Amino acid sequence: MAFLVGPETVDTASTDGNCLYPAQPLGGTPYATTVVAGGQPLEIYDNASVPAPVTPQKINPSPVPCQPGNRIIRPVVNTTVRINGRLPAVTGDEAQMVIGSTPRPLT
């Protein structure tokens, strides 16, 4: 069973061979739905949400600097169910690095 992705959801680590981009909670800007949970609007992510950037760690002695760790949400598992007309991200979907195309499955 897939679960809705919220601000505390963590993606998986990735590397570009020069820098390590560690697993990190999404943070950033989820959207508040009209669904209420625990007395508060449910905050979830879709492909228009902007997760917080990942701080890279240099792993290679080359002089090439690390690229910014900006991520986008990519639907993989949920491609049909919508909340408030938007396609919410669920576990198994991906936070993909903007640079390159490294998939970072959401856990």
Side-chain angles (χ1 to χ4, degrees), residues 75 77-83 86-88:
V77 175
N78 180 26
T79 57
T80 57
V81 176
R82 297 182 182 274
I83 295 177
R86 297 170 78 166
L87 196 64

Side-chain angles (χ1 to χ4, degrees), residues 2-106:
F3 296 97
L4 291 172
V5 168
E8 68 287 344
T9 301
V10 177
D11 61 3
T12 54
S14 62
T15 181
D16 65 3
N18 185 43
C19 302
L20 169 69
Y21 296 86
Q24 181 174 304
L26 292 178
T29 55
Y31 71 92
T33 67
T34 58
V35 176
V36 176
Q40 299 293 321
L42 182 65
E43 289 188 336
I44 56 180
Y45 292 78
D46 70 349
N47 64 345
S49 301
V50 180
V54 177
T55 302
Q57 300 169 355
K58 188 88 164 128
I59 57 172
N60 187 321
S62 80
V64 177
C66 292
Q67 297 297 312
N70 298 322
R71 303 174 284 180
I72 58 171
I73 302 293
R74 193 175 137 235
V76 175
V77 175
N78 180 26
T79 57
T80 57
V81 176
R82 297 182 182 274
I83 295 177
N84 297 128
R86 297 170 78 166
L87 196 64
V90 298
T91 53
D93 284 344
E94 296 174 350
Q96 191 171 27
M97 299 302 288
V98 173
I99 53 152
S101 60
T102 305
R104 295 169 58 100
L106 300 169

